[in-house]
Amino acid sequence: MSLGPSQVREIAHLARLAIDRNDIPAYVENLSRILDFVEQLGSVATEGTAPLAHPLEMPQRLRADVVEEEDQRELFQSIAPATQDGLYLVPKVIE
Amino acid sequence: MHKKTIAQLAAGLRSGDFTSIELTQACLERIRRLDSKLNAFITVSEEQALAAAQTADSTRAAGRGGALTGIPIAHKDIFCTQGVKTSCGSRMLDNFIAPYDAHVVERLKAAGAVMVGKTNMDEFAMGSSNETSFFGPVHNPWVDTAVPGGSSGGSAAAVAARLVPAATGTDTGGSIRQPAALCGISGLKPTYGRVSRYGMIAFASSLDQGGPMARTVEDLAWLLEVMAGFDPRDSTCVERPVPRYAAGIDAPLTGLTIGLPKEYFGAGLSPAVGDLIQAAIEVVRRLGAQIKEISLPNSHLAVPVYYVIAPAEASSNLSRYDGVRYGYRCIQPRDLEDMYERTRGEGFGAEVKRRIMVGTYVLSAGYYDAYYLKAQQVRRMIRDDFIRAFEEVDVILGPTAPTAAFDLGEKTSDPVQMYLSDIYTIAVNLAGLPALSIPAGFAAGRPVGLQLISNFFAEERLLNVGHRYQQETDWHARIPPGYE
Amino acid sequence: MDWEAVIGLEIHIQLATKTKIFSGAATAYGAAPNTQACAIDLGMPGVLPVLNEQAVRMAVKLGLALGATIAPRSVFARKNYFYPDLPKGYQISQYELPVVADGELNIELDGGVSKRIGIIRAHLEEDAGKSLHEGFEQVTAIDLNRAGTPLIEVVSAPDMRSAKEAVAYMKKLHSLVRYLEISDGNMQEGSFRCDANISVRPLGEQRLGTRTEVKNVNSFRFVERAINYEIQRQIELLEAGGEVVQETRLFDTSRNETRSMRTKEEANDYRYFPDPDLLPLEIEPALIEEVRKTLPELPDAKRERFMRDYGLDAYDSTVLTASRALADYFEAVAARCADAKLAGNWVMGELAGALNKAGLDITEAPVSSEMLGVLLQRIKDNTLSGKIAKEVFEAMWNGEGGADAVIEQRGLKQLTDRSALEAVIEEVIAANPNQAQQYRAGKEKLLGFFVGQVMKATKGQAHPQLVNELLQEKLGGCKIIE
């Protein structure tokens, strides 16, 4: 499964990664090599085998509906790139 | 003092031969003097360390404290530490001071261990050589031009060079065991769910597991006893009593059956490593264990399965690094899209970006079934191979890595070649099993690791075999030249 | 050509849990920005989700009330996309295996007809935060208090054929979740939000037309308007030879029209996959039975019972069971005054009118069911006339106390003392000899005049029936002129 430059650009955009134009050929090559490598899975007979998402097949544990968190806004926002009046700021979202 | 194991240091602290302050200062002094060669530390937290050492000394003076009280340790920089930078080896988190401690950090702190700093690692734990770190590569203490392995390369190098008696690591595809092998120390990857992942920065959530790295198996036992245990904050953490691991390590190996998977001894294994593993097999045989050849027929599929599942989970886990709430944000974004793309483009290194893109691709519409679903099916086949094997044997033995440490830059140009250095470790993560790597000798002056794998939650058995092996050998006691 | 509209609704309901679906942070509405967003809600590195038991119980409760299947095993999945109010870069939702599937809800249409609307699925997921655009130059501000609030998304089958049916369905579901006490249903605060999938096709055609999705229509009125607009737009487009584009549209409430939301329509590729931080949710039959025991009487059953036990008609029963609070109120009043009809008339008349005027919910009524019950008792025991009772009701509404206190204070007790009334009546007859004469001559209508005069003399407190009786007695028989 080889990828082309336009596919790499599409994937990079879907993942919100700015890729330098000069680096595209290297990504094309490396990603293609990785995908070629994992391609061998395609020939494995897996009919009737259930997918395994977790090594331990246990059910989800449930948490009691009790408030356990307190307001730590000041601490959390002390490491934020941009805030104002307790709000996080980002460049204007255009809808 | 730096040559002592945790067990020996604890005895010294107990008998008052030295204090934790003295011990901690000695560690800090060695880090100051020697780490410029290794680059094993991203952050040294001297002030906090000395304060913690003082507390530990008071605890001991009051007649309290346990095996780890006052023992210096280092944390892989993937574990969140309140008030001390947690970078995960990335520019993205170069300015990140976590507002909380990871569960493992909390537990070790509560046990009185003294954190002296945070160790270098592959960026977001993605790498097998420590060359993907934003903070530069780590050098192997045995051979300066060689890699220490990865991703817990800083922890492995720091322990091997006797900068600290122990360190924490995480293992997603071999990231504790492979650097332990390449640096000549002992490292344990516990059963998935044995150690809480809370506060441990996620790479691939269904594979990640934290564990201890130290010079001896006995030390690993003391560490695991503290690190393991139930944490309600991690849904995948298992509620199950924690055994007194150190108590059972001396048991005889007679009656034990050890399996040798034939797939782990085929082409691809370097002859020098193969010879050392054969020698190790003789040691355990002498100790009374039965040796039996077994088969793990799907093991050749482990690396491709891993390179679908791990990038898929990682691509999603790393979406939170968007420059909005913490971490790196690019300068003067034009608009929102520009902020996302440049923040992430500039904040992540090449290997991380590569894996995010692979993961994004394999999960995308039209490819999910062919890649992700297929990989999960094969994952079950790989796990079932082990389940069947453990009906016949108690422990599986083989090499940790196909070769001893390779040179810096040797595999950076071909990602697939790099991925294949984890060929013997990855299946264990896919299956969720515990595994141990211990030193088994040297190939051309470079350490070689022996891997032991056991059934789910049978860490005691691994520690038992590993400890008995270390009673018969002294590979683990060798010190890299220049670090005596 | 005749067209048929096909409508399906996706309704997001905030569950009334105390804490978030995956964290222990509070969900209270209206807190200062980001004070209820903990490390998990903020998507900080290394923190992990743990599922809220109450959210699961609420989902089960809704599933049972919809007659749906509760999945013994359901899976949480990640829906991946980037947006500033989505802290982790993915929303934890359910995709392939939802917790609730295959249910139904009956709606009542005009003329007492009932229609079954299928429920395809209902799944648990987390809400996103809020983006604030107004009041900021060049930037958008993010409040993540809402991030992680539990939602259940109820997806209907495309069974509705008009805006009216869609509104009836929405109202019925709204009433149901409040009956079940799993949501406050507050639409202004966003607790109950609706996306509508709309398509049209020539009447008789079996295949579905291309649909559009109208997002976030969050009041019954707007849903009706938005759907009607969209149906009309699609019909006009098709009749003009055009094609409907599958897209997401937004309802502009100021212009009463829908418009395309994304000009740069980017194929959404959400890359769903099972969330590896969460394990499959397994619901044991024992839990389902436990929840079943907590189910209240549901609207349809209650409506039937009101018709049967209180002798109310279908319309009144539907109105009175529209909300559990209203039904409870009515039942308390009816029990107190022992007259369901009277109670029904007052609850739907005087009380509903006053609530409506004041913009209050039944739960906020200043006149409690006990107070209204006592008032109606005073009508029944002839202490008050219906007319005076309205005055007393108003006084109670304005906080002047209970019925008896108001009656006492204002001296409104109805005059039922026969001899006292006789005296008044004699005076009135004496003062109006001409009218008395005419009445006796057969002008029967004049009885009303005398009643009026007596009521005036007694300030309306005379018992009307008694006044009638005594007047006829005193005036003597009226000769009916053939």
Side-chain angles (χ1 to χ4, degrees), chain B residues 80 93 96 99-100 192 197-202 205-206 232-236 312-313 316-317 319-322 324-326 336 340 344 360 363-365 368 372 376, chain C residues 39-51 78 80 82-90 96 142 144 264 266 269-279:
Chain B
C80 288
L93 293 178
F96 178 66
Y100 41 82
Y192 184 82
R197 294 185 295 116
Y198 183 86
M200 189 177 107
I201 297 179
S205 311
S206 78
R233 296 170 299 184
D234 174 2
S235 296
T236 62
E313 293 183 6
S316 177
N317 282 336
S319 290
R320 67 188 59 201
Y321 307 107
D322 59 5
V324 177
R325 298 163 314 286
Y326 51 81
L336 184 69
Y340 280 144
R344 294 167 56 78
T360 301
L363 289 177
S364 62
Y368 179 85
Y372 191 76
Q376 284 202 327
Chain C
I40 295 163
D41 308 324
L42 293 172
M44 289 266 176
V47 297
L48 297 164
V50 184
L51 183 58
R78 294 182 181 179
N80 295 283
F82 288 90
Y83 205 76
D85 64 18
L86 187 71
K88 297 184 295 296
Y90 58 83
E96 280 179 335
I142 311 294
L144 296 170
K264 192 175 69 176
E266 175 185 300
D269 191 340
Y270 292 124
R271 289 160 284 136
Y272 282 99
F273 75 108
D275 190 329
D277 285 331
L278 292 161
L279 297 160

Side-chain angles (χ1 to χ4, degrees), chain B residues 110-310:
Chain B
V114 174
M115 178 183 87
V116 296
K118 307 289 293 287
T119 58
N120 203 345
M121 56 182 284
D122 279 299
E123 185 179 9
F124 283 101
M126 298 180 194
S128 308
S129 67
N130 225 297
E131 291 166 292
T132 72
S133 171
F134 174 63
F135 302 92
V138 176
H139 296 259
N140 192 313
W142 291 92
V143 179
D144 188 54
T145 54
V147 302
S151 65
S152 312
S155 288
V159 172
R162 272 61 177 171
L163 303 187
V164 280
T168 53
T170 60
D171 193 316
T172 304
S175 282
I176 287 175
R177 290 160 289 156
Q178 186 256 21
L182 271 49
C183 288
I185 65 160
S186 306
L188 176 74
K189 177 230 168 273
T191 308
Y192 184 82
R194 180 74 282 188
V195 173
S196 168
R197 294 185 295 116
Y198 183 86
M200 189 177 107
I201 297 179
F203 161 14
S205 311
S206 78
L207 302 163
D208 295 341
Q209 188 62 201
M213 303 172 82
R215 290 200 293 275
T216 66
V217 169
E218 185 186 3
D219 286 359
L220 295 180
W222 288 115
L223 290 161
L224 183 63
E225 219 170 284
V226 171
M227 291 167 74
F230 179 61
D231 176 9
R233 296 170 299 184
D234 174 2
S235 296
T236 62
C237 185
V238 177
E239 199 164 1
R240 190 185 169 104
V242 178
R244 303 276 316 278
Y245 290 112
I249 56 175
D250 283 315
L253 304 191
T254 42
L256 202 70
T257 310
I258 292 183
L260 309 177
K262 61 177 188 219
E263 294 81 4
Y264 284 28
F265 292 89
L269 179 63
S270 97
V273 173
D275 290 348
L276 290 167
I277 301 305
Q278 288 304 334
I281 292 166
E282 288 317 308
V283 174
V284 291
R285 198 199 299 275
R286 270 207 313 277
L287 285 166
Q290 294 274 331
I291 306 295
K292 186 173 181 180
E293 189 185 90
I294 57 163
S295 176
L296 299 169
N298 294 296
S299 44
H300 64 291
L301 298 170
V303 180
V305 166
Y306 178 86
Y307 279 96
V308 172
I309 290 175

